Amino acid sequence: MVCRAKLRVKVPGDRAATDKRRDMVLKLVEEHGGKSGTPNPRRHVVGIFTDKAAMKAFRTEARAALSP
């Protein structure tokens, strides 16, 4: 079964901050055993996982990292 997690990484008006957040989230996708399925990297990051537990762990960790 394939699981997807989609997270918004856009920082309005700050392209450098958006790029930094996107790179951080993409590293987390790889750390949790997923691969990127991102069609538009300026707005969202999509992680594709084969393990639902890994997807949930990624989503929890990414949300914590992206919170202000």
Side-chain angles (χ1 to χ4, degrees):
M1 182 168 87
V2 176
C3 301
R4 292 186 177 115
K6 181 177 179 181
L7 294 169
R8 184 177 177 95
V9 295
K10 186 171 182 176
V11 178
D14 192 353
R15 186 172 255 183
T18 299
D19 291 343
K20 183 178 173 185
R21 289 175 75 153
R22 181 189 68 238
D23 292 341
M24 177 186 59
V25 173
L26 286 173
K27 271 189 203 175
L28 286 174
V29 169
E30 293 173 1
E31 286 177 12
H32 287 280
K35 61 182 180 178
S36 176
T38 306
N40 181 2
R42 292 282 180 206
R43 183 169 292 169
H44 296 94
V45 172
V46 178
I48 300 173
F49 299 88
T50 55
D51 182 21
K52 193 171 186 175
M55 184 269 304
K56 287 182 177 183
F58 156 74
R59 187 177 59 203
T60 302
E61 190 173 339
R63 284 180 178 168
L66 293 174
S67 67

